[in-house]
Amino acid sequence: MDNKKNQAKPQADTGLLAATALTTFVAALGVSGGTNVVMHFTGNKLIKEHRPTLTFRSAIFGDGVLLPIISTLMMKSFVQWKPRMGSRASLASIVGGSALSLVFHIGQGRGGLVNWTMTRPWRWNLLGYYHFVYMSTQFSYMMLYLMLLAGKLPKGEIDAGQKRDLTIIGVCLGLFALLLVTDYY
C-alpha cells in the first residue's frame, strides 16, 4: 500500500482556529470599532463630522463576522498545505495584496469616498494608514490561499472539506462585496 495515502492529513487544532478568528476580528473591527467607541464617549469631533466605522454594515458584519470566518477556513487549508514563507507564492501574495489594497485606496481617493479615516480626498489619518496596512495583510493572506489552491486544484489535491470551505469563503466574499456596495452607493 502507498504510505502517503495511509497518513492522516494534519488538522488545525481548535486553539489555532480560535486564535485566527480572534486576531482577524481584533485587527479588522476591534481597532477601528474600538476607536469609534472611545471617540464617541470622549465627544471627538471627527466622528461627528465624518461617518465612523460602526455606521458601516460592511465593518460590523463584514469585518466583524465574515472576515474571521474566511480567515479561519483558509487557516484550515494552510495547516494541511504547509506553505513556506520564502516561496514564490508567499512573496507574490505579499506584493499582490499590497497592490490590491493600494488600488482600493486610490479608488477611495479618486471617488472622494470620505469618512473618518480619510476626511478629505487623498488625506488619510493614522487610522486610514492602519486600514491600508491591515487591508494589505488580509488581501495577501487571501491571495496566498488562492495561489496555493490554484496549484493544488488541477492536481486533485483538494479534499471534500476544502471544497466545502471554498464554497463558504466564496459566499462570504460575495456577501462582503454586497455590504460594501450598499454602504457606499
Side-chain angles (χ1 to χ4, degrees), residues 5 31 34 43 47 73 78-79 82 87 90 94 105 108 128 141-142 154 162-164 169 176 180-181 184:
K5 296 216 182 222
V31 171
I47 65 169
L73 294 175
F78 288 150
V79 168
K82 298 178 181 161
S87 70
S90 64
I94 292 168
H105 282 77
Q108 181 186 9
Y141 186 77
M142 289 178 181
Q162 289 170 322
K163 289 177 184 175
R164 180 201 64 232
I169 290 166
F176 200 130
L180 280 169
V181 167
Y184 282 101

mmCIF file with all atom_site columns, all heavy atoms in Angstrom, residues 5 31 34 43 47 73 78-79 82 87 90 94 105 108 128 141-142 154 162-164 169 176 180-181 184:
data_model
loop_
_atom_site.group_PDB
_atom_site.id
_atom_site.type_symbol
_atom_site.label_atom_id
_atom_site.label_alt_id
_atom_site.label_comp_id
_atom_site.label_asym_id
_atom_site.label_entity_id
_atom_site.label_seq_id
_atom_site.pdbx_PDB_ins_code
_atom_site.Cartn_x
_atom_site.Cartn_y
_atom_site.Cartn_z
_atom_site.occupancy
_atom_site.B_iso_or_equiv
_atom_site.pdbx_formal_charge
_atom_site.auth_seq_id
_atom_site.auth_comp_id
_atom_site.auth_asym_id
_atom_site.auth_atom_id
_atom_site.pdbx_PDB_model_num
ATOM 1   N N   . LYS A 1 5   ? -0.964  7.680  1.201   1.00 0.00 ? 5   LYS A N   1
ATOM 2   C CA  . LYS A 1 5   ? -2.419  7.624  1.281   1.00 0.00 ? 5   LYS A CA  1
ATOM 3   C C   . LYS A 1 5   ? -2.888  7.208  2.654   1.00 0.00 ? 5   LYS A C   1
ATOM 4   O O   . LYS A 1 5   ? -3.988  7.542  3.067   1.00 0.00 ? 5   LYS A O   1
ATOM 5   C CB  . LYS A 1 5   ? -2.969  6.682  0.221   1.00 0.00 ? 5   LYS A CB  1
ATOM 6   C CG  . LYS A 1 5   ? -2.678  7.167  -1.174  1.00 0.00 ? 5   LYS A CG  1
ATOM 7   C CD  . LYS A 1 5   ? -3.797  6.853  -2.079  1.00 0.00 ? 5   LYS A CD  1
ATOM 8   C CE  . LYS A 1 5   ? -3.407  7.333  -3.456  1.00 0.00 ? 5   LYS A CE  1
ATOM 9   N NZ  . LYS A 1 5   ? -4.428  7.971  -4.147  1.00 0.00 ? 5   LYS A NZ  1
ATOM 10  N N   . VAL A 1 31  ? -9.871  47.326 16.217  1.00 0.00 ? 31  VAL A N   1
ATOM 11  C CA  . VAL A 1 31  ? -9.098  48.570 16.242  1.00 0.00 ? 31  VAL A CA  1
ATOM 12  C C   . VAL A 1 31  ? -9.978  49.760 15.864  1.00 0.00 ? 31  VAL A C   1
ATOM 13  O O   . VAL A 1 31  ? -10.105 50.726 16.621  1.00 0.00 ? 31  VAL A O   1
ATOM 14  C CB  . VAL A 1 31  ? -7.857  48.484 15.328  1.00 0.00 ? 31  VAL A CB  1
ATOM 15  C CG1 . VAL A 1 31  ? -7.178  49.835 15.183  1.00 0.00 ? 31  VAL A CG1 1
ATOM 16  C CG2 . VAL A 1 31  ? -6.876  47.447 15.871  1.00 0.00 ? 31  VAL A CG2 1
ATOM 17  N N   . GLY A 1 34  ? -13.231 49.894 18.111  1.00 0.00 ? 34  GLY A N   1
ATOM 18  C CA  . GLY A 1 34  ? -12.854 50.334 19.457  1.00 0.00 ? 34  GLY A CA  1
ATOM 19  C C   . GLY A 1 34  ? -12.534 51.816 19.486  1.00 0.00 ? 34  GLY A C   1
ATOM 20  O O   . GLY A 1 34  ? -12.931 52.544 20.409  1.00 0.00 ? 34  GLY A O   1
ATOM 21  N N   . GLY A 1 43  ? -16.506 62.401 22.908  1.00 0.00 ? 43  GLY A N   1
ATOM 22  C CA  . GLY A 1 43  ? -17.081 63.518 22.159  1.00 0.00 ? 43  GLY A CA  1
ATOM 23  C C   . GLY A 1 43  ? -16.177 64.071 21.077  1.00 0.00 ? 43  GLY A C   1
ATOM 24  O O   . GLY A 1 43  ? -16.282 65.242 20.724  1.00 0.00 ? 43  GLY A O   1
ATOM 25  N N   . ILE A 1 47  ? -15.810 62.047 14.650  1.00 0.00 ? 47  ILE A N   1
ATOM 26  C CA  . ILE A 1 47  ? -16.904 61.134 14.330  1.00 0.00 ? 47  ILE A CA  1
ATOM 27  C C   . ILE A 1 47  ? -18.252 61.851 14.255  1.00 0.00 ? 47  ILE A C   1
ATOM 28  O O   . ILE A 1 47  ? -19.244 61.249 13.853  1.00 0.00 ? 47  ILE A O   1
ATOM 29  C CB  . ILE A 1 47  ? -16.982 59.934 15.299  1.00 0.00 ? 47  ILE A CB  1
ATOM 30  C CG1 . ILE A 1 47  ? -17.310 60.364 16.712  1.00 0.00 ? 47  ILE A CG1 1
ATOM 31  C CG2 . ILE A 1 47  ? -15.713 59.123 15.252  1.00 0.00 ? 47  ILE A CG2 1
ATOM 32  C CD1 . ILE A 1 47  ? -17.658 59.198 17.623  1.00 0.00 ? 47  ILE A CD1 1
ATOM 33  N N   . LEU A 1 73  ? -11.281 29.546 7.855   1.00 0.00 ? 73  LEU A N   1
ATOM 34  C CA  . LEU A 1 73  ? -11.384 28.468 6.865   1.00 0.00 ? 73  LEU A CA  1
ATOM 35  C C   . LEU A 1 73  ? -10.110 28.364 6.032   1.00 0.00 ? 73  LEU A C   1
ATOM 36  O O   . LEU A 1 73  ? -9.667  27.258 5.697   1.00 0.00 ? 73  LEU A O   1
ATOM 37  C CB  . LEU A 1 73  ? -12.610 28.681 5.975   1.00 0.00 ? 73  LEU A CB  1
ATOM 38  C CG  . LEU A 1 73  ? -13.957 28.572 6.691   1.00 0.00 ? 73  LEU A CG  1
ATOM 39  C CD1 . LEU A 1 73  ? -15.100 28.921 5.735   1.00 0.00 ? 73  LEU A CD1 1
ATOM 40  C CD2 . LEU A 1 73  ? -14.147 27.189 7.299   1.00 0.00 ? 73  LEU A CD2 1
ATOM 41  N N   . PHE A 1 78  ? -4.251  25.994 5.154   1.00 0.00 ? 78  PHE A N   1
ATOM 42  C CA  . PHE A 1 78  ? -2.823  26.265 5.325   1.00 0.00 ? 78  PHE A CA  1
ATOM 43  C C   . PHE A 1 78  ? -2.157  25.208 6.203   1.00 0.00 ? 78  PHE A C   1
ATOM 44  O O   . PHE A 1 78  ? -1.013  24.831 5.953   1.00 0.00 ? 78  PHE A O   1
ATOM 45  C CB  . PHE A 1 78  ? -2.586  27.659 5.918   1.00 0.00 ? 78  PHE A CB  1
ATOM 46  C CG  . PHE A 1 78  ? -2.855  28.794 4.965   1.00 0.00 ? 78  PHE A CG  1
ATOM 47  C CD1 . PHE A 1 78  ? -3.292  30.022 5.443   1.00 0.00 ? 78  PHE A CD1 1
ATOM 48  C CD2 . PHE A 1 78  ? -2.681  28.660 3.602   1.00 0.00 ? 78  PHE A CD2 1
ATOM 49  C CE1 . PHE A 1 78  ? -3.532  31.078 4.586   1.00 0.00 ? 78  PHE A CE1 1
ATOM 50  C CE2 . PHE A 1 78  ? -2.921  29.696 2.727   1.00 0.00 ? 78  PHE A CE2 1
ATOM 51  C CZ  . PHE A 1 78  ? -3.352  30.921 3.221   1.00 0.00 ? 78  PHE A CZ  1
ATOM 52  N N   . VAL A 1 79  ? -2.846  24.743 7.220   1.00 0.00 ? 79  VAL A N   1
ATOM 53  C CA  . VAL A 1 79  ? -2.281  23.706 8.089   1.00 0.00 ? 79  VAL A CA  1
ATOM 54  C C   . VAL A 1 79  ? -1.981  22.453 7.271   1.00 0.00 ? 79  VAL A C   1
ATOM 55  O O   . VAL A 1 79  ? -0.943  21.824 7.442   1.00 0.00 ? 79  VAL A O   1
ATOM 56  C CB  . VAL A 1 79  ? -3.217  23.406 9.289   1.00 0.00 ? 79  VAL A CB  1
ATOM 57  C CG1 . VAL A 1 79  ? -2.801  22.143 10.018  1.00 0.00 ? 79  VAL A CG1 1
ATOM 58  C CG2 . VAL A 1 79  ? -3.242  24.592 10.247  1.00 0.00 ? 79  VAL A CG2 1
ATOM 59  N N   . LYS A 1 82  ? 0.846   23.526 4.375   1.00 0.00 ? 82  LYS A N   1
ATOM 60  C CA  . LYS A 1 82  ? 2.153   23.930 4.916   1.00 0.00 ? 82  LYS A CA  1
ATOM 61  C C   . LYS A 1 82  ? 2.934   24.844 3.969   1.00 0.00 ? 82  LYS A C   1
ATOM 62  O O   . LYS A 1 82  ? 4.025   24.492 3.506   1.00 0.00 ? 82  LYS A O   1
ATOM 63  C CB  . LYS A 1 82  ? 2.978   22.701 5.264   1.00 0.00 ? 82  LYS A CB  1
ATOM 64  C CG  . LYS A 1 82  ? 2.350   21.832 6.321   1.00 0.00 ? 82  LYS A CG  1
ATOM 65  C CD  . LYS A 1 82  ? 3.182   20.616 6.596   1.00 0.00 ? 82  LYS A CD  1
ATOM 66  C CE  . LYS A 1 82  ? 2.466   19.790 7.645   1.00 0.00 ? 82  LYS A CE  1
ATOM 67  N NZ  . LYS A 1 82  ? 2.884   18.434 7.697   1.00 0.00 ? 82  LYS A NZ  1
ATOM 68  N N   . SER A 1 87  ? 8.570   31.090 -0.261  1.00 0.00 ? 87  SER A N   1
ATOM 69  C CA  . SER A 1 87  ? 8.159   30.571 -1.567  1.00 0.00 ? 87  SER A CA  1
ATOM 70  C C   . SER A 1 87  ? 7.720   31.705 -2.494  1.00 0.00 ? 87  SER A C   1
ATOM 71  O O   . SER A 1 87  ? 7.413   32.810 -2.060  1.00 0.00 ? 87  SER A O   1
ATOM 72  C CB  . SER A 1 87  ? 7.007   29.574 -1.394  1.00 0.00 ? 87  SER A CB  1
ATOM 73  O OG  . SER A 1 87  ? 5.826   30.248 -0.999  1.00 0.00 ? 87  SER A OG  1
ATOM 74  N N   . SER A 1 90  ? 4.212   32.920 -1.592  1.00 0.00 ? 90  SER A N   1
ATOM 75  C CA  . SER A 1 90  ? 4.099   33.819 -0.438  1.00 0.00 ? 90  SER A CA  1
ATOM 76  C C   . SER A 1 90  ? 4.611   35.211 -0.786  1.00 0.00 ? 90  SER A C   1
ATOM 77  O O   . SER A 1 90  ? 3.999   36.217 -0.406  1.00 0.00 ? 90  SER A O   1
ATOM 78  C CB  . SER A 1 90  ? 4.811   33.251 0.785   1.00 0.00 ? 90  SER A CB  1
ATOM 79  O OG  . SER A 1 90  ? 6.194   33.145 0.584   1.00 0.00 ? 90  SER A OG  1
ATOM 80  N N   . ILE A 1 94  ? 2.234   38.744 -1.078  1.00 0.00 ? 94  ILE A N   1
ATOM 81  C CA  . ILE A 1 94  ? 2.511   39.988 -0.340  1.00 0.00 ? 94  ILE A CA  1
ATOM 82  C C   . ILE A 1 94  ? 2.504   41.185 -1.293  1.00 0.00 ? 94  ILE A C   1
ATOM 83  O O   . ILE A 1 94  ? 1.876   42.213 -1.014  1.00 0.00 ? 94  ILE A O   1
ATOM 84  C CB  . ILE A 1 94  ? 3.843   39.885 0.426   1.00 0.00 ? 94  ILE A CB  1
ATOM 85  C CG1 . ILE A 1 94  ? 3.715   38.874 1.563   1.00 0.00 ? 94  ILE A CG1 1
ATOM 86  C CG2 . ILE A 1 94  ? 4.289   41.247 0.945   1.00 0.00 ? 94  ILE A CG2 1
ATOM 87  C CD1 . ILE A 1 94  ? 5.022   38.463 2.201   1.00 0.00 ? 94  ILE A CD1 1
ATOM 88  N N   . HIS A 1 105 ? -7.471  51.987 -2.128  1.00 0.00 ? 105 HIS A N   1
ATOM 89  C CA  . HIS A 1 105 ? -7.264  53.300 -1.527  1.00 0.00 ? 105 HIS A CA  1
ATOM 90  C C   . HIS A 1 105 ? -7.184  54.406 -2.587  1.00 0.00 ? 105 HIS A C   1
ATOM 91  O O   . HIS A 1 105 ? -7.649  55.522 -2.362  1.00 0.00 ? 105 HIS A O   1
ATOM 92  C CB  . HIS A 1 105 ? -6.038  53.290 -0.607  1.00 0.00 ? 105 HIS A CB  1
ATOM 93  C CG  . HIS A 1 105 ? -6.334  52.661 0.712   1.00 0.00 ? 105 HIS A CG  1
ATOM 94  N ND1 . HIS A 1 105 ? -6.428  51.301 0.881   1.00 0.00 ? 105 HIS A ND1 1
ATOM 95  C CD2 . HIS A 1 105 ? -6.613  53.211 1.919   1.00 0.00 ? 105 HIS A CD2 1
ATOM 96  C CE1 . HIS A 1 105 ? -6.729  51.043 2.142   1.00 0.00 ? 105 HIS A CE1 1
ATOM 97  N NE2 . HIS A 1 105 ? -6.842  52.187 2.790   1.00 0.00 ? 105 HIS A NE2 1
ATOM 98  N N   . GLN A 1 108 ? -10.705 54.999 -3.486  1.00 0.00 ? 108 GLN A N   1
ATOM 99  C CA  . GLN A 1 108 ? -11.347 55.797 -2.438  1.00 0.00 ? 108 GLN A CA  1
ATOM 100 C C   . GLN A 1 108 ? -11.003 57.276 -2.621  1.00 0.00 ? 108 GLN A C   1
ATOM 101 O O   . GLN A 1 108 ? -11.876 58.141 -2.553  1.00 0.00 ? 108 GLN A O   1
ATOM 102 C CB  . GLN A 1 108 ? -10.908 55.320 -1.056  1.00 0.00 ? 108 GLN A CB  1
ATOM 103 C CG  . GLN A 1 108 ? -11.547 56.092 0.084   1.00 0.00 ? 108 GLN A CG  1
ATOM 104 C CD  . GLN A 1 108 ? -10.980 55.709 1.454   1.00 0.00 ? 108 GLN A CD  1
ATOM 105 O OE1 . GLN A 1 108 ? -9.996  54.981 1.562   1.00 0.00 ? 108 GLN A OE1 1
ATOM 106 N NE2 . GLN A 1 108 ? -11.605 56.222 2.492   1.00 0.00 ? 108 GLN A NE2 1
ATOM 107 N N   . GLY A 1 128 ? -6.494  55.655 8.907   1.00 0.00 ? 128 GLY A N   1
ATOM 108 C CA  . GLY A 1 128 ? -6.530  55.358 7.473   1.00 0.00 ? 128 GLY A CA  1
ATOM 109 C C   . GLY A 1 128 ? -5.296  54.594 7.021   1.00 0.00 ? 128 GLY A C   1
ATOM 110 O O   . GLY A 1 128 ? -5.383  53.649 6.228   1.00 0.00 ? 128 GLY A O   1
ATOM 111 N N   . TYR A 1 141 ? -3.031  37.484 2.577   1.00 0.00 ? 141 TYR A N   1
ATOM 112 C CA  . TYR A 1 141 ? -3.446  36.200 3.150   1.00 0.00 ? 141 TYR A CA  1
ATOM 113 C C   . TYR A 1 141 ? -4.402  35.484 2.189   1.00 0.00 ? 141 TYR A C   1
ATOM 114 O O   . TYR A 1 141 ? -4.253  34.297 1.901   1.00 0.00 ? 141 TYR A O   1
ATOM 115 C CB  . TYR A 1 141 ? -4.120  36.490 4.494   1.00 0.00 ? 141 TYR A CB  1
ATOM 116 C CG  . TYR A 1 141 ? -4.497  35.312 5.335   1.00 0.00 ? 141 TYR A CG  1
ATOM 117 C CD1 . TYR A 1 141 ? -3.547  34.608 6.063   1.00 0.00 ? 141 TYR A CD1 1
ATOM 118 C CD2 . TYR A 1 141 ? -5.829  34.935 5.463   1.00 0.00 ? 141 TYR A CD2 1
ATOM 119 C CE1 . TYR A 1 141 ? -3.906  33.552 6.879   1.00 0.00 ? 141 TYR A CE1 1
ATOM 120 C CE2 . TYR A 1 141 ? -6.196  33.875 6.279   1.00 0.00 ? 141 TYR A CE2 1
ATOM 121 C CZ  . TYR A 1 141 ? -5.239  33.190 6.982   1.00 0.00 ? 141 TYR A CZ  1
ATOM 122 O OH  . TYR A 1 141 ? -5.598  32.144 7.785   1.00 0.00 ? 141 TYR A OH  1
ATOM 123 N N   . MET A 1 142 ? -5.361  36.244 1.662   1.00 0.00 ? 142 MET A N   1
ATOM 124 C CA  . MET A 1 142 ? -6.327  35.665 0.721   1.00 0.00 ? 142 MET A CA  1
ATOM 125 C C   . MET A 1 142 ? -5.655  35.254 -0.581  1.00 0.00 ? 142 MET A C   1
ATOM 126 O O   . MET A 1 142 ? -5.976  34.206 -1.139  1.00 0.00 ? 142 MET A O   1
ATOM 127 C CB  . MET A 1 142 ? -7.449  36.656 0.438   1.00 0.00 ? 142 MET A CB  1
ATOM 128 C CG  . MET A 1 142 ? -8.380  36.880 1.583   1.00 0.00 ? 142 MET A CG  1
ATOM 129 S SD  . MET A 1 142 ? -9.621  38.113 1.122   1.00 0.00 ? 142 MET A SD  1
ATOM 130 C CE  . MET A 1 142 ? -10.550 38.193 2.637   1.00 0.00 ? 142 MET A CE  1
ATOM 131 N N   . PRO A 1 154 ? -5.934  21.623 -9.833  1.00 0.00 ? 154 PRO A N   1
ATOM 132 C CA  . PRO A 1 154 ? -5.798  20.801 -11.047 1.00 0.00 ? 154 PRO A CA  1
ATOM 133 C C   . PRO A 1 154 ? -5.172  19.426 -10.774 1.00 0.00 ? 154 PRO A C   1
ATOM 134 O O   . PRO A 1 154 ? -5.375  18.490 -11.532 1.00 0.00 ? 154 PRO A O   1
ATOM 135 C CB  . PRO A 1 154 ? -4.893  21.618 -11.964 1.00 0.00 ? 154 PRO A CB  1
ATOM 136 C CG  . PRO A 1 154 ? -4.754  22.962 -11.359 1.00 0.00 ? 154 PRO A CG  1
ATOM 137 C CD  . PRO A 1 154 ? -5.168  22.863 -9.935  1.00 0.00 ? 154 PRO A CD  1
ATOM 138 N N   . GLN A 1 162 ? -12.204 20.866 2.042   1.00 0.00 ? 162 GLN A N   1
ATOM 139 C CA  . GLN A 1 162 ? -11.637 22.098 1.482   1.00 0.00 ? 162 GLN A CA  1
ATOM 140 C C   . GLN A 1 162 ? -12.544 22.674 0.391   1.00 0.00 ? 162 GLN A C   1
ATOM 141 O O   . GLN A 1 162 ? -12.674 23.882 0.265   1.00 0.00 ? 162 GLN A O   1
ATOM 142 C CB  . GLN A 1 162 ? -10.238 21.849 0.953   1.00 0.00 ? 162 GLN A CB  1
ATOM 143 C CG  . GLN A 1 162 ? -9.234  21.614 2.071   1.00 0.00 ? 162 GLN A CG  1
ATOM 144 C CD  . GLN A 1 162 ? -7.896  21.138 1.552   1.00 0.00 ? 162 GLN A CD  1
ATOM 145 O OE1 . GLN A 1 162 ? -7.823  20.353 0.610   1.00 0.00 ? 162 GLN A OE1 1
ATOM 146 N NE2 . GLN A 1 162 ? -6.830  21.609 2.173   1.00 0.00 ? 162 GLN A NE2 1
ATOM 147 N N   . LYS A 1 163 ? -13.192 21.801 -0.370  1.00 0.00 ? 163 LYS A N   1
ATOM 148 C CA  . LYS A 1 163 ? -14.142 22.275 -1.389  1.00 0.00 ? 163 LYS A CA  1
ATOM 149 C C   . LYS A 1 163 ? -15.332 22.950 -0.712  1.00 0.00 ? 163 LYS A C   1
ATOM 150 O O   . LYS A 1 163 ? -15.803 23.998 -1.160  1.00 0.00 ? 163 LYS A O   1
ATOM 151 C CB  . LYS A 1 163 ? -14.606 21.121 -2.273  1.00 0.00 ? 163 LYS A CB  1
ATOM 152 C CG  . LYS A 1 163 ? -13.534 20.619 -3.212  1.00 0.00 ? 163 LYS A CG  1
ATOM 153 C CD  . LYS A 1 163 ? -14.006 19.427 -4.005  1.00 0.00 ? 163 LYS A CD  1
ATOM 154 C CE  . LYS A 1 163 ? -12.877 18.885 -4.863  1.00 0.00 ? 163 LYS A CE  1
ATOM 155 N NZ  . LYS A 1 163 ? -13.271 17.651 -5.568  1.00 0.00 ? 163 LYS A NZ  1
ATOM 156 N N   . ARG A 1 164 ? -15.815 22.361 0.378   1.00 0.00 ? 164 ARG A N   1
ATOM 157 C CA  . ARG A 1 164 ? -16.919 22.962 1.136   1.00 0.00 ? 164 ARG A CA  1
ATOM 158 C C   . ARG A 1 164 ? -16.475 24.313 1.692   1.00 0.00 ? 164 ARG A C   1
ATOM 159 O O   . ARG A 1 164 ? -17.194 25.307 1.587   1.00 0.00 ? 164 ARG A O   1
ATOM 160 C CB  . ARG A 1 164 ? -17.352 22.038 2.271   1.00 0.00 ? 164 ARG A CB  1
ATOM 161 C CG  . ARG A 1 164 ? -18.503 22.596 3.120   1.00 0.00 ? 164 ARG A CG  1
ATOM 162 C CD  . ARG A 1 164 ? -18.597 21.980 4.493   1.00 0.00 ? 164 ARG A CD  1
ATOM 163 N NE  . ARG A 1 164 ? -17.398 22.325 5.253   1.00 0.00 ? 164 ARG A NE  1
ATOM 164 C CZ  . ARG A 1 164 ? -16.613 21.462 5.884   1.00 0.00 ? 164 ARG A CZ  1
ATOM 165 N NH1 . ARG A 1 164 ? -16.887 20.176 5.879   1.00 0.00 ? 164 ARG A NH1 1
ATOM 166 N NH2 . ARG A 1 164 ? -15.549 21.859 6.550   1.00 0.00 ? 164 ARG A NH2 1
ATOM 167 N N   . ILE A 1 169 ? -16.231 30.315 1.725   1.00 0.00 ? 169 ILE A N   1
ATOM 168 C CA  . ILE A 1 169 ? -15.395 31.502 1.535   1.00 0.00 ? 169 ILE A CA  1
ATOM 169 C C   . ILE A 1 169 ? -15.960 32.353 0.396   1.00 0.00 ? 169 ILE A C   1
ATOM 170 O O   . ILE A 1 169 ? -16.079 33.575 0.518   1.00 0.00 ? 169 ILE A O   1
ATOM 171 C CB  . ILE A 1 169 ? -13.927 31.106 1.257   1.00 0.00 ? 169 ILE A CB  1
ATOM 172 C CG1 . ILE A 1 169 ? -13.288 30.537 2.529   1.00 0.00 ? 169 ILE A CG1 1
ATOM 173 C CG2 . ILE A 1 169 ? -13.119 32.288 0.713   1.00 0.00 ? 169 ILE A CG2 1
ATOM 174 C CD1 . ILE A 1 169 ? -11.967 29.820 2.298   1.00 0.00 ? 169 ILE A CD1 1
ATOM 175 N N   . PHE A 1 176 ? -19.736 40.100 1.582   1.00 0.00 ? 176 PHE A N   1
ATOM 176 C CA  . PHE A 1 176 ? -18.935 41.266 1.958   1.00 0.00 ? 176 PHE A CA  1
ATOM 177 C C   . PHE A 1 176 ? -19.000 42.317 0.844   1.00 0.00 ? 176 PHE A C   1
ATOM 178 O O   . PHE A 1 176 ? -19.178 43.510 1.113   1.00 0.00 ? 176 PHE A O   1
ATOM 179 C CB  . PHE A 1 176 ? -17.493 40.857 2.232   1.00 0.00 ? 176 PHE A CB  1
ATOM 180 C CG  . PHE A 1 176 ? -16.727 41.856 3.056   1.00 0.00 ? 176 PHE A CG  1
ATOM 181 C CD1 . PHE A 1 176 ? -16.018 41.442 4.162   1.00 0.00 ? 176 PHE A CD1 1
ATOM 182 C CD2 . PHE A 1 176 ? -16.691 43.198 2.736   1.00 0.00 ? 176 PHE A CD2 1
ATOM 183 C CE1 . PHE A 1 176 ? -15.304 42.344 4.949   1.00 0.00 ? 176 PHE A CE1 1
ATOM 184 C CE2 . PHE A 1 176 ? -15.986 44.120 3.497   1.00 0.00 ? 176 PHE A CE2 1
ATOM 185 C CZ  . PHE A 1 176 ? -15.288 43.690 4.599   1.00 0.00 ? 176 PHE A CZ  1
ATOM 186 N N   . LEU A 1 180 ? -20.350 46.155 1.096   1.00 0.00 ? 180 LEU A N   1
ATOM 187 C CA  . LEU A 1 180 ? -19.563 47.332 0.683   1.00 0.00 ? 180 LEU A CA  1
ATOM 188 C C   . LEU A 1 180 ? -20.337 48.206 -0.297  1.00 0.00 ? 180 LEU A C   1
ATOM 189 O O   . LEU A 1 180 ? -20.382 49.427 -0.154  1.00 0.00 ? 180 LEU A O   1
ATOM 190 C CB  . LEU A 1 180 ? -18.241 46.896 0.048   1.00 0.00 ? 180 LEU A CB  1
ATOM 191 C CG  . LEU A 1 180 ? -17.129 46.501 0.996   1.00 0.00 ? 180 LEU A CG  1
ATOM 192 C CD1 . LEU A 1 180 ? -15.983 45.850 0.224   1.00 0.00 ? 180 LEU A CD1 1
ATOM 193 C CD2 . LEU A 1 180 ? -16.627 47.690 1.791   1.00 0.00 ? 180 LEU A CD2 1
ATOM 194 N N   . VAL A 1 181 ? -20.942 47.562 -1.274  1.00 0.00 ? 181 VAL A N   1
ATOM 195 C CA  . VAL A 1 181 ? -21.691 48.324 -2.281  1.00 0.00 ? 181 VAL A CA  1
ATOM 196 C C   . VAL A 1 181 ? -22.863 49.060 -1.633  1.00 0.00 ? 181 VAL A C   1
ATOM 197 O O   . VAL A 1 181 ? -23.091 50.247 -1.904  1.00 0.00 ? 181 VAL A O   1
ATOM 198 C CB  . VAL A 1 181 ? -22.191 47.384 -3.411  1.00 0.00 ? 181 VAL A CB  1
ATOM 199 C CG1 . VAL A 1 181 ? -23.212 48.066 -4.292  1.00 0.00 ? 181 VAL A CG1 1
ATOM 200 C CG2 . VAL A 1 181 ? -21.009 46.907 -4.241  1.00 0.00 ? 181 VAL A CG2 1
ATOM 201 N N   . TYR A 1 184 ? -21.758 52.217 0.381   1.00 0.00 ? 184 TYR A N   1
ATOM 202 C CA  . TYR A 1 184 ? -21.242 53.380 -0.323  1.00 0.00 ? 184 TYR A CA  1
ATOM 203 C C   . TYR A 1 184 ? -22.126 53.888 -1.447  1.00 0.00 ? 184 TYR A C   1
ATOM 204 O O   . TYR A 1 184 ? -21.930 54.991 -1.929  1.00 0.00 ? 184 TYR A O   1
ATOM 205 C CB  . TYR A 1 184 ? -19.840 53.084 -0.872  1.00 0.00 ? 184 TYR A CB  1
ATOM 206 C CG  . TYR A 1 184 ? -18.776 53.162 0.200   1.00 0.00 ? 184 TYR A CG  1
ATOM 207 C CD1 . TYR A 1 184 ? -18.263 52.011 0.779   1.00 0.00 ? 184 TYR A CD1 1
ATOM 208 C CD2 . TYR A 1 184 ? -18.297 54.398 0.614   1.00 0.00 ? 184 TYR A CD2 1
ATOM 209 C CE1 . TYR A 1 184 ? -17.284 52.102 1.760   1.00 0.00 ? 184 TYR A CE1 1
ATOM 210 C CE2 . TYR A 1 184 ? -17.317 54.492 1.586   1.00 0.00 ? 184 TYR A CE2 1
ATOM 211 C CZ  . TYR A 1 184 ? -16.821 53.338 2.159   1.00 0.00 ? 184 TYR A CZ  1
ATOM 212 O OH  . TYR A 1 184 ? -15.856 53.423 3.126   1.00 0.00 ? 184 TYR A OH  1
#
